[in-house]
Amino acid sequence: MYNNVTAIQQIEKNATPVMPAGQADRVGRVIMAIATTGRREVLSKTLAELPRQTLQPDLLVLSITGESDIDRSVLEKMRCPVKVRIGSKGACHQRNRVLELVRPKDVVVFTDDDFLMASTYLEQIKALFNRHPDVVMATGKVLADGISGPGYSHAQGLDILDWNTDGHTEYPLQPTYNGYGCNMAFYTGPVVEHGLRFDETLPLYAWLEDVDFSRQIARYGRVVRSDALAGVHLGTKGGRTNGKTFGYSQISNPLYLMKKGTMIPKRALSIIARNILANIIKTLRPEPWVDRRGRLYGNLLGVMDLVRGRLDPEKVLEFRK
């Protein structure tokens, strides 16, 4: 069912073809999943937009760490079945709780709690995976990403969607190295068959867990980006990892994935160098929404542990003690 052609090796030159008449759907259920903690209001506002999707998910899964993360009254307004999974904190742990529910023909759509989808997003996801049986992961076009700035409000995000959604549904599929964690969808056949999981060695915010999972599933088919899957990542601040912790992960996580084999050395070292340089330069005039000094201190701790042979992604758990 799956070939070993990677997204880096091929480019789909033609627009999405029409599925032959009478061909059975490859996709069983479309499952939308959100792993979230400590951002109840943000999540509620994002979920309020879900009923506008032209295709409703067959199941909405919310992976949380406690009842305070959700507003049950909002869930009652959903037009689809909802399951809530409660357990330990950490992006990988929370995403893995979703994978416990999947069947071999599902498509799981992971979005962040502050990602707003164009109204046809889920419809286009299902069509893409039905039309392209060699695709195992797809990620969309982020029209605006507030993660690198102060962020956008939900109202601003909806305005951006209104101004930038052109209604076109056929676009060439572009190869990409990995799905972007704020919006990535994957076919669960390889996940079930090969027991794929998000790597829980990457704790808490689990930076780069999307790259690691993408390169795992890329062994079984193509990883692509489609402009038909449009959305806005609000980049809402609050509930995120502190500067020191994130700064350490900026060193430890790329090197861990490089050693594991899911990130090539050139990419890992480039990411590390770029982040250290940015933290040094911007510490002089830090953005109000970024703890640059904390990140730089975390970078320093990471480099020191690397030299000592003690570098470990899970060490960030000690920072909370």
Side-chain angles (χ1 to χ4, degrees):
M1 181 179 293
Y2 319 106
N3 60 40
N4 290 319
V5 178
T6 68
I8 305 304
Q9 294 171 321
Q10 283 195 350
I11 298 177
E12 176 122 7
K13 297 182 179 180
N14 299 319
T16 305
V18 177
M19 188 174 175
Q23 182 173 323
D25 281 359
R26 175 198 187 201
V27 177
R29 300 180 299 174
V30 174
I31 299 175
M32 181 175 169
I34 301 176
T36 180
T37 184
R39 289 157 49 111
R40 174 179 176 143
E41 183 177 353
V42 173
L43 175 66
S44 295
K45 289 181 178 180
T46 298
L47 290 180
E49 303 303 319
L50 183 57
R52 300 185 184 184
Q53 287 292 305
T54 56
L55 174 72
Q56 289 296 297
D58 296 291
L59 178 65
L60 168 64
V61 183
L62 302 177
S63 187
I64 62 175
T65 60
E67 280 293 328
S68 61
D69 289 334
I70 57 172
D71 183 341
R72 291 279 180 178
S73 66
V74 172
L75 304 188
E76 293 172 359
K77 300 175 184 177
M78 295 297 99
R79 293 171 50 200
C80 62
V82 181
K83 284 191 177 182
V84 176
R85 305 281 284 175
I86 302 178
S88 57
K89 181 179 180 180
C92 290
H93 292 80
Q94 290 177 244
R95 290 182 191 266
N96 283 340
R97 288 199 290 273
V98 175
L99 298 187
E100 294 171 359
L101 302 174
V102 304
R103 304 169 189 163
K105 292 181 64 176
D106 293 337
V107 166
V108 174
V109 184
F110 269 118
T111 68
D112 280 359
D113 56 19
D114 59 350
F115 185 78
L116 298 179
M117 303 178 291
S119 62
T120 60
Y121 193 100
L122 295 180
E123 180 181 355
Q124 290 303 312
I125 281 283
K126 186 171 185 177
L128 187 156
F129 281 95
N130 272 331
R131 292 168 176 168
H132 299 278
D134 59 337
V135 170
V136 291
M137 175 176 279
T139 194
K141 178 181 182 181
V142 180
L143 300 171
D145 195 346
I147 200 67
S148 57
Y152 301 102
S153 68
H154 278 78
Q156 290 172 322
L158 292 172
D159 284 344
I160 294 170
L161 279 177
D162 289 341
W163 280 102
N164 290 277
T165 305
D166 57 18
H168 293 171
T169 59
E170 293 190 356
Y171 290 93
L173 299 183
Q174 302 294 329
T176 188
Y177 189 77
N178 61 273
Y180 185 14
C182 73
N183 80 114
M184 62 181 184
F186 51 89
Y187 191 62
T188 58
V191 174
V192 173
E193 182 177 350
H194 301 283
L196 303 184
R197 290 294 184 269
F198 289 87
D199 191 338
E200 295 180 4
T201 302
L202 305 176
L204 303 179
Y205 185 63
W207 187 56
L208 298 179
E209 95 288 353
D210 48 359
V211 177
D212 176 64
F213 189 81
S214 297
R215 299 320 300 165
Q216 289 185 61
I217 203 169
R219 299 166 186 159
Y220 308 104
R222 288 195 297 149
V223 178
V224 301
R225 185 178 74 86
S226 171
D227 287 357
L229 312 173
V232 175
H233 187 206
L234 302 179
T236 307
K237 305 304 181 277
R240 297 187 180 276
T241 303
N242 65 41
K244 174 184 173 184
T245 300
F246 188 62
Y248 189 91
S249 295
Q250 286 181 322
I251 306 299
S252 65
N253 291 15
L255 292 176
Y256 171 76
L257 297 184
M258 183 179 77
K259 183 178 180 180
K260 181 181 177 180
T262 53
M263 181 175 285
I264 59 176
K266 181 179 179 181
R267 181 178 288 261
L269 297 176
S270 174
I271 289 173
I272 292 171
R274 185 169 65 246
N275 283 319
I276 292 177
L277 183 61
N279 291 333
I280 291 173
I281 294 174
K282 294 183 180 181
T283 293
L284 302 175
R285 298 184 64 181
E287 310 94 321
W289 55 87
V290 178
D291 178 13
R292 288 291 175 185
R293 291 185 179 180
R295 289 188 183 185
L296 187 58
Y297 179 49
N299 290 165
L300 177 61
L301 293 177
V303 171
M304 290 173 62
D305 275 358
L306 174 62
V307 172
R308 297 169 181 166
R310 301 176 184 174
L311 190 66
D312 180 359
E314 295 185 297
K315 186 173 180 178
V316 296
L317 296 172
E318 301 176 8
F319 297 167
R320 300 186 301 170
K321 297 177 181 179

